[in-house]
Amino acid sequence: QRSSTAMRPAGPIHPEPSAEFMAGVCQTDVRVQRLKIRMRDGSRIAARAYMGERTVCGLIWCHGGVFARNSAATDSELCKALARKGIGVVSSSFRDGPFFSHPQAVRDLEDVARHARSELFAGLPIGVAGGSSGGYHALLLGVRPPDDEPFAF
């Protein structure tokens, strides 16, 4: 008969982050930069970049809004909270219904992701996430990442 202790891992599965890491990650100051990102058709889309003092990774945030409402400013407090933890965030508006048809929103978010990779988070791991209908856009963006460069998370 096996001992129940034999089934447990020797150490913690997820070790506690070091004090140095936490000192660099738990930040109070967040810089919010308003951007106009150029799309492939030449138009510009409003966006906001949220950066803490030290950014360890980036995130493309896709806002929700029933596929027809809201903007880059919709989830500002969430984006600031992520930036305080070391996750730089770019939240952008995108063209969606009822005046633009699918897949225009995803095309706009692809262009935002390209801009984020080259201008905001160069050399950092980048993820994509969203809330509500923005989660759907994030899923589409993650399945077919721009330039076939997969997202880290």
Side-chain angles (χ1 to χ4, degrees), residues 83-113:
R84 283 187 198 97
K85 299 293 185 188
I87 302 170
V89 180
V90 62
S91 175
S92 75
S93 297
F94 43 82
R95 294 172 284 185
D96 53 5
F99 302 107
F100 298 93
S101 60
H102 180 73
Q104 186 60 57
V106 177
R107 287 186 187 129
D108 289 348
L109 289 165
E110 287 172 348
D111 292 344
V112 169

Side-chain angles (χ1 to χ4, degrees), residues 6-54:
M7 300 301 284
R8 286 189 238 150
I13 295 173
H14 299 289
E16 292 294 318
S18 69
E20 178 184 271
F21 177 80
M22 291 309 292
V25 170
C26 295
Q27 306 164 38
T28 56
D29 293 332
V30 174
R31 191 174 67 251
V32 181
Q33 181 181 5
R34 292 173 190 245
L35 308 169
K36 290 286 188 177
I37 299 175
R38 181 179 293 281
M39 301 291 105
R40 65 187 81 184
D41 65 4
S43 62
R44 292 188 178 269
I45 295 289
R48 290 183 180 191
Y50 300 82
M51 307 290 266
E53 296 168 14
R54 181 175 173 209

